[in-house]
Amino acid sequence: VRNTGDAAAANAVISANISGGTVRSATEGGSVTAGGASWALGSLGAGETRQVCFTVVGNAGSTLQLSASASGVCADPVSTSCETPVVGVPGILLELVDDPDPIAVGETTTYTVRVMNQGNSPITNIRVTGQADPDSQEFVSGTGATEITRTGTGIAFATVAQLNPKQTVEWKVVVRATRAENALVKVTLTSDQLREAMETESTNQY
């Protein structure tokens, strides 16, 4: 705020109101409230400029709407406003774990595939594919968040339409060891927001 006059403005006050977010802190001794902040600046001299700041935390996908006003003795109140969109960031955690390990030829093990959105914005159209070791394993069954089907030597997981922040989905895939080998299983994930994530797991078959 700036005093554009030629005399001091006594009892100068700045008030700011915010919607769509929460005020966490304010500079220059500002008083924080649930819907904004205010500053009692005292006397603002002729031509003097004062700057204040406050920190706001918004929700992903929302728009912060700010209105601010300044007033003082013998000065007409002034106001301004602005908007700030809040953009979220998705974050994928892809896990692949086998149990039990090791296994004998003819026995089965179960691979758990787990996907978590660690970010603060939804992830859409999550597509997962898997590949058992084609030389030493055979697909037995699969269950979980979406349907699992066998595609030649691969495994296809039906698409997850949307995964919200902190939400987790998982599948369990059962395979049988057909020969002794350190078998390697791979899963690959793609989505609208993320190009590709990949995870591998080895199983000792004897």
Side-chain angles (χ1 to χ4, degrees), residues 13 60 84 93 164 180 193:
V13 175
T84 302
L93 172 65
N164 293 319
Q193 293 77 19

Side-chain angles (χ1 to χ4, degrees), residues 27-101:
T27 63
E28 300 292 328
S31 299
V32 174
T33 64
S38 61
W39 296 262
L41 304 181
S43 178
L44 190 65
E48 183 181 358
T49 298
R50 297 281 292 276
Q51 177 176 292
V52 296
C53 301
F54 64 109
T55 301
V56 179
V57 177
N59 300 318
S62 67
T63 298
L64 299 177
Q65 296 181 324
L66 169 70
S67 61
S69 62
S71 61
V73 174
C74 299
D76 293 331
V78 291
S79 62
T80 188
S81 63
C82 67
E83 292 185 349
T84 302
V86 181
V87 180
V89 179
I92 278 286
L93 172 65
L94 175 63
E95 294 180 322
L96 176 63
V97 180
D98 61 347
D99 184 35
D101 181 10

